[in-house]
Amino acid sequence: MNMIKTIQRISWLAMALSLAGCKAVVLAPSGDVAAQQRDLLVISTLLMLVIIIPVMVMIGLFAWHYSAKNKDATYAPDWDHSTKLELVIWAIPLLIIVTLGALTWVGTHLLDPYRPLQPASATHSDNEPAAVTAEAPLQVQVVALDWKWLFIYPEYNVASVNELAVPVDRAVEFTLTSSTVMNAFYIPAMAGMIYAMPGMETKLHGIFNKPGEYHGLASHYSGAGFSGMHFKALAEDQAGFDKWIADLRASPDTLDRPRYLELEQPTQNVPPMAFGQVDPQLFQRAVNMCVEEGKMCMAEMMARDRAGGMGLEGAVNVSVLTYDKYDRRGTPRPILGWEPFQVAGICTVDELEQMFAAAARKEAVPLRDPTPMRGHGLPEPGGFFQPSSPNDFSQTAPAAGVDRNL
């Protein structure tokens, strides 16, 4: 019996020692955004403990004070109300909830992942001023693949797989998408988590204020190879970052559309890879789901739908897709009862160049537009005491001389 107890104690000790090796990365950030998130988490926890700890203490005190052994306890079976006690019970939690709500509301808006970082407000995680450069944020385009991360640096025309490097004290703007399923991009020491979704762009702003090698991961399950979907995040000084970019440029591999389609195939535990040249349209094609040759881009399809569609021409605007995503994922099956197909693109090369160039030039949308809300080009409706104006959306016949806009 003593031997069994000894083994049990040793097992608990072994478990405690194994947990001691874990690093609380969220509570030991290396960037301003992660530090603010840490502070929000800690302050919120402490505010909640203001209620939790007294309640837990009083449970024990009440159990002891009103136990059968304590003959000095007051017995008041007719007692049912105390204004002072009710005030304490309701006022203190209410104040904490109001404080916690205000703190969370302000914090989450200031830490909006789409909100660009302000260099003047950035600080080191140890509360020292950060030497943030005044240059524009480093642009990094991120594509979640099965099961690896692709990082494209449009400013340098290079790319890497499962390895990210950024300069210390320089803001980074991530633009993310996914090739297949929804995924979650997370560097705990740098910034919060953000989703990467197929056919969509999401953004995340972050910064490293301390050099080092950090851990990045996919924080939500995304398939069989999810457990190996990790990457290294390197925070380098400017000289180290320039050397890292130079090493990428020295790679003879080029990331063009055929190479991307190969890279898109499901693979697990992929080591870091480097690409010295990148197709400048590749990320926009990945977002628009038209990396395959001849496939219509999503932006083109939406533009044609907005203009009224393609009519009968669009009914037969398909071509056979011999290398479909379903086949690549190992579950070939017909789509909607037919062989896999794709909608063929109609835009010319020049039109596609203009479309992708316009997408790359688009400016950040302000978080709040202070101008009053107005209709999209619609005339102001007339009232009872105003002369009526032609309504573009009326089903009645327009007045003589007025064009119908439907």
Side-chain angles (χ1 to χ4, degrees):
M1 183 65 68
N2 292 334
M3 181 62 69
I4 295 176
K5 291 183 178 180
T6 303
I7 294 175
Q8 290 177 346
R9 292 171 182 173
I10 294 175
S11 63
W12 281 106
L13 180 61
M15 292 176 61
L17 290 175
S18 64
L19 290 175
C22 297
K23 183 180 179 182
V25 182
V26 175
L27 299 179
S30 300
D32 175 62
V33 176
Q36 294 183 56
Q37 292 174 336
R38 183 270 318 272
D39 295 341
L40 181 61
L41 176 64
V42 171
I43 294 173
S44 300
T45 303
L46 293 177
L47 282 172
M48 289 184 285
L49 288 177
V50 171
I51 290 295
I52 294 174
I53 292 178
V55 169
M56 300 301 293
V57 171
M58 284 190 293
I59 288 175
L61 290 176
F62 283 19
W64 170 81
H65 182 72
Y66 293 103
S67 64
K69 295 180 181 179
N70 186 10
K71 303 301 182 181
D72 297 330
T74 303
Y75 179 67
D78 296 329
W79 179 89
D80 63 352
H81 180 72
S82 172
T83 303
K84 294 180 180 179
L85 188 59
E86 291 284 346
L87 183 63
V88 172
I89 290 175
W90 290 103
I92 295 178
L94 182 60
L95 290 175
I96 292 177
I97 291 174
V98 171
T99 304
L100 185 62
L103 177 69
T104 305
W105 189 89
V106 173
T108 51
H109 280 76
L110 290 177
L111 296 173
D112 186 340
Y114 282 71
R115 186 187 185 96
L117 300 184
Q118 301 297 326
S121 64
T123 57
H124 283 300
S125 56
D126 54 4
N127 295 325
E128 295 179 1
V132 181
T133 58
E135 57 187 322
L138 175 67
Q139 302 290 326
V140 181
Q141 298 169 340
V142 184
V143 184
L145 305 172
D146 289 339
W147 284 275
K148 48 200 166 285
W149 292 98
L150 171 64
F151 302 101
I152 302 175
Y153 293 77
E155 185 178 339
Y156 302 95
N157 196 33
V158 295
S160 64
V161 172
N162 282 347
E163 186 170 281
L164 168 74
V166 299
V168 175
D169 291 331
R170 181 179 177 184
V172 183
E173 181 181 350
F174 296 100
T175 307
L176 305 97
T177 191
S178 175
S179 66
T180 52
V181 299
M182 183 172 71
N183 222 306
F185 177 81
Y186 189 28
I187 307 177
M190 183 187 195
M193 183 196 71
I194 191 72
Y195 283 109
M197 293 172 280
M200 296 180 63
E201 269 189 29
T202 53
K203 287 189 181 295
L204 175 69
H205 290 82
I207 189 170
F208 274 123
N209 297 127
K210 290 182 179 179
E213 180 178 319
Y214 303 97
H215 183 221
L217 69 154
S219 58
H220 281 195
Y221 181 76
S222 58
F226 158 76
S227 59
M229 199 169 174
H230 302 264
F231 62 92
K232 291 192 297 185
L234 307 174
E236 310 267 5
D237 57 16
Q238 190 60 47
F241 176 73
D242 292 340
K243 181 181 181 304
W244 188 83
I245 291 293
D247 293 341
L248 289 185
R249 284 176 170 166
S251 172
D253 293 337
T254 299
L255 185 60
D256 52 12
R257 293 164 66 184
R259 184 71 178 91
Y260 174 88
L261 293 176
E262 295 176 6
L263 192 66
E264 192 185 35
Q265 299 180 48
T267 51
Q268 301 184 27
N269 302 314
V270 178
M273 303 168 62
F275 297 94
Q277 294 287 331
V278 181
D279 183 347
Q281 294 184 355
L282 184 61
F283 181 77
Q284 289 299 327
R285 285 190 174 276
V287 174
N288 285 276
M289 306 175 74
C290 59
V291 179
E292 294 86 351
E293 189 66 36
K295 187 177 181 181
M296 179 179 287
C297 293
M298 190 172 60
E300 178 187 355
M301 183 177 294
M302 289 189 295
R304 295 188 181 278
D305 288 343
R306 184 180 181 182
M310 295 185 295
L312 294 177
E313 294 85 352
V316 294
N317 181 34
V318 296
S319 60
V320 176
L321 180 61
T322 59
Y323 194 52
D324 184 70
K325 280 187 171 65
Y326 291 97
D327 296 329
R328 293 201 294 270
R329 296 177 68 88
T331 56
R333 61 180 182 271
I335 300 177
L336 300 179
W338 301 93
E339 289 298 320
F341 66 89
Q342 69 182 25
V343 179
I346 300 178
C347 286
T348 64
V349 176
D350 292 338
E351 289 172 338
L352 286 174
E353 291 283 351
Q354 294 177 6
M355 180 180 70
F356 290 127
R361 283 197 313 268
K362 63 183 179 182
E363 309 220 344
V365 179
L367 295 177
R368 178 180 180 274
D369 186 1
T371 59
M373 296 182 65
R374 297 185 176 87
H376 186 66
L378 300 179
E380 182 179 356
F384 288 106
F385 303 102
Q386 298 176 353
S388 59
S389 57
N391 191 336
D392 295 343
F393 281 73
S394 174
Q395 296 182 358
T396 59
V402 178
D403 294 330
R404 186 188 295 271
N405 293 328
L406 294 179

